[in-house]
Each structure stands twice: as C-alpha cells, then as structure tokens.
Amino acid sequence: MYSGYITDVPGIEVGHGESLEGMTGCTVILCEDGAVVGVDVRGSAPGTRETDLLRPEKMVDKVHGIVLSGGSAFGLDAASGVMKYLEENGVGFDVGVTKVPIVCSAVIFDLNIGDYRIRPDYNMGYETAKSANETENRQGNIGCGMGATVGKILGPENSMKSGLGSSSIKIGELWVGAIVAVNSFGDVYDYENNKILAGTYDYKEKRLLNSYKIMKDQGKTVGFPMKNTTIGVVATNGILSKAEANKVAQMAQNGLARSINPIHTMYDGDTVFAMSTGKVKADINLIGTVASEIMSKAIVNGILAAESYENILSYKDINNS
C-alpha cells in the first residue's frame, strides 16, 4: 500500500457512508471554507452534477463539497443531503436569506452488485457529510468504493472486486492528495512495474486475462454495456485559479491512463475533480505532475485494499490462494 490520505491536505474533510445490503455508498469530500475547483471528464458515459459551474468563465469561484457516489444517476441525490447539512452549518454562497452550498458530484454504476433498489440518497448524503472529519483514512470496500468492480470486457461475471483508494505526498509546504473510486471497464496496473493487479478474470482457469488483448483478438469491444466509471478528487493546498484547477484535473487524468487499460472508453464516465484550498504558492506544473502520480497510487491502493464480495474475487484472494 502507498502511504498517505487526501485528508493530509489541511482543510479537507472526508466522510463515508454505505449500505452492505445494497453494496453501494458515497464518499463526501468537504472544504467548508470553500475551495477553487476544476474538473476534467474524459469518459463518454458520465453522471455528474454542477460541473458546468467549474468552467473558468462561470461566476461561482468556490465549491464547498464534492460527492463521489454509487447508484448510477440515482446516486446524484446524495449531494442534496450534503447541501442540507452545509446549509444548516452556515456554509455556502451568501444570497441574503440563506447560504447556498456549492456541491459537485459524480457517480459510478454499481446497480449490478447488491440490492439495486438501495442507492445513496438524500439521507445517506446528509449523514455522510455529518460524519466527515480530518482524520478519516479508510480504504477498500468503503463509501463510493463499496460496489466498485473492474475488468468487465467479458461482462460482470468475469469482473473483480475493487474499491476506494487514497494517497498523498508532501513537498516542502505543498500537499497533494487524491481519492478515487476504481470502477473501470479496463484492467488495473501497478504503474511502477506495469503488472496487472486486477481486471478481467477467468474463474474456471483461475487466471487474470488481458482486456486489451481480448479487444484486439476479437476486433471489437464486447463487454458490459453500462457505466464503468473511475471517479476521483485531487486536492492541494497550493494556490490555483479556476483555469489552473481545471488544468490540474486534466493532468491528474494521466494517472488514470497510466494505471488503467482500456480507459476513457464509450463505456466509461471517467471524471476527476481538482480542489485548491489556496494556502501555498507552488508551480502549477509541479502540482499537476504530482497529482497524476498520486492518482495512480490511490488507484493501486483501491485495488490492494478491496475485499471480495460473494463470488467476486479481489486482489487479495487471487494473490493469497
């Protein structure tokens, strides 16, 4: 496991909520003082909320929370519960009669695992935001990673269990951290040695397959015709403008491309947010390059920390048998 957690970034709080019966959940990343946020959406099947506000030319310049949620489009409802919690605590954009919290969100598809009728909702979002704290450090089958799976080119029956991962690094006074729910169509690699950690699995022969090779051999993409989305957040205490935060989000997507293959397909909704608490002067090129590396490390951690669910094996199962 790589060290660190996104809560190492001063001012960032994280909470997790989940349902074991539904095998789904949400992860809330809060910055109650407000953070400059950018986003980059690379997949072609995204489910998102409030991402248009993050364009540099839009008026709102501070975001107070980001929700990573399971439940497909149904899971976007969790963000409303987070808004309610923040409003009750006086956090948000002052409109005179109240404060309107700005909460962005992205979702993964996990309806095929657990009870599909149970999804992250308003109440789960509220309770998860209420639990958010600066010392949270859990990974694996937690929050948005509860129902995450990877390697679905041959369908969900050949997939493996993945989860939520996080990591961080400090360079001088600069902190950069990442948190990610790994729910990819493709296989996940250890970026340091290019070894497949989890992905499409032959349960009869008990061996990992190579999704890219399957795609080339068949001359087409088969697979699970639903969302298979890796969504995450990179956070830094470095000072960034909205335009720069969007650039960092773009650069952080390189961490997905380095660690997952195939990636950014028509079946994926890959989305990365970048949050800046704006405390330390730092080179944007350094922040973005580090964000890419930390995202790769968080992805690996999401695989290494995952636990199996019913007949869906995890990295731990196939490496300890």
Side-chain angles (χ1 to χ4, degrees):
M1 294 280 287
Y2 292 105
S3 63
Y5 205 85
I6 195 172
T7 48
D8 292 331
V9 179
I12 298 296
E13 298 180 330
V14 170
H16 301 299
E18 60 278 322
S19 164
L20 182 59
E21 184 180 357
M23 281 304 291
T24 191
C26 65
T27 294
V28 175
I29 301 94
L30 298 182
C31 183
E32 295 190 7
D33 290 337
V36 175
V37 175
V39 69
D40 187 72
V41 181
R42 294 281 174 91
S44 295
T48 57
R49 166 180 167 146
E50 296 282 39
T51 52
D52 281 352
L53 282 177
L54 306 183
R55 295 177 181 175
E57 73 274 13
K58 303 303 181 183
M59 181 182 72
V60 172
D61 60 356
K62 291 292 179 70
V63 171
H64 307 94
I66 297 175
V67 182
L68 307 179
S69 180
S72 190
F74 296 109
L76 292 171
D77 187 37
S80 296
V82 177
M83 285 189 68
K84 180 62 175 176
Y85 169 79
L86 291 173
E87 181 191 25
E88 288 178 352
N89 287 272
V91 176
F93 184 73
D94 194 343
V95 294
V97 294
T98 188
K99 290 186 178 180
V100 180
I102 306 301
V103 178
C104 302
S105 181
V107 296
I108 66 171
F109 183 93
D110 59 2
L111 300 179
N112 62 304
I113 183 171
D115 187 342
Y116 74 91
R117 296 167 295 183
I118 300 174
R119 306 120 181 192
D121 57 12
Y122 179 97
N123 291 329
M124 184 184 286
Y126 181 91
E127 293 300 323
T128 302
K130 190 176 178 181
S131 73
N133 62 83
E134 295 179 347
T135 61
E136 178 60 68
N137 63 3
R138 290 173 291 171
Q139 303 187 65
N141 293 16
I142 194 78
C144 187
M146 196 70 174
T149 55
V150 297
K152 286 161 273 191
I153 194 168
L154 297 180
E157 63 273 13
N158 288 97
S159 66
M160 287 182 61
K161 187 70 183 70
S162 55
L164 184 94
S166 186
S167 189
S168 70
I169 190 172
K170 187 181 183 184
I171 303 172
E173 295 302 313
L174 175 69
W175 276 102
V176 181
I179 194 165
V180 59
V182 189
N183 192 60
S184 58
F185 172 76
D187 307 322
V188 178
Y189 292 73
D190 184 334
Y191 78 101
E192 290 189 334
N193 57 28
N194 206 36
K195 176 185 176 182
I196 298 180
L197 300 176
T200 305
Y201 193 72
D202 186 332
Y203 281 83
K204 291 182 179 180
E205 298 295 328
K206 296 183 179 180
R207 64 189 180 96
L208 276 166
L209 304 177
N210 186 308
S211 294
Y212 180 46
K213 185 177 185 300
I214 293 170
M215 185 184 295
K216 289 191 294 182
D217 289 346
Q218 295 193 3
K220 62 179 180 180
T221 306
V222 286
F224 189 39
M226 296 290 182
K227 293 181 181 178
N228 309 272
T229 299
T230 298
I231 55 177
V233 176
V234 294
T236 180
N237 62 346
I239 299 170
L240 297 173
S241 67
K242 280 180 73 175
E244 289 172 332
N246 277 277
K247 183 61 181 178
V248 169
Q250 291 175 10
M251 295 176 74
Q253 284 274 14
N254 294 335
L256 273 66
R258 181 165 46 208
S259 301
I260 302 171
N261 190 37
I263 189 67
H264 304 147
T265 71
M266 296 298 292
Y267 299 129
D268 292 298
D270 305 314
T271 301
V272 173
F273 297 93
M275 303 179 73
S276 163
T277 61
K279 303 297 183 182
V280 176
K281 289 183 179 181
D283 179 16
I284 180 177
N285 299 295
L286 172 63
I287 295 173
T289 302
V290 171
S292 174
E293 180 186 15
I294 292 301
M295 181 59 74
S296 286
K297 290 183 175 182
I299 289 169
V300 171
N301 284 348
I303 296 299
L304 300 184
E307 303 283 347
S308 63
Y309 172 73
E310 295 185 345
N311 296 325
I312 307 174
L313 300 182
S314 68
Y315 171 87
K316 292 180 180 179
D317 300 307
I318 67 174
N319 284 275
N320 293 327
S321 58

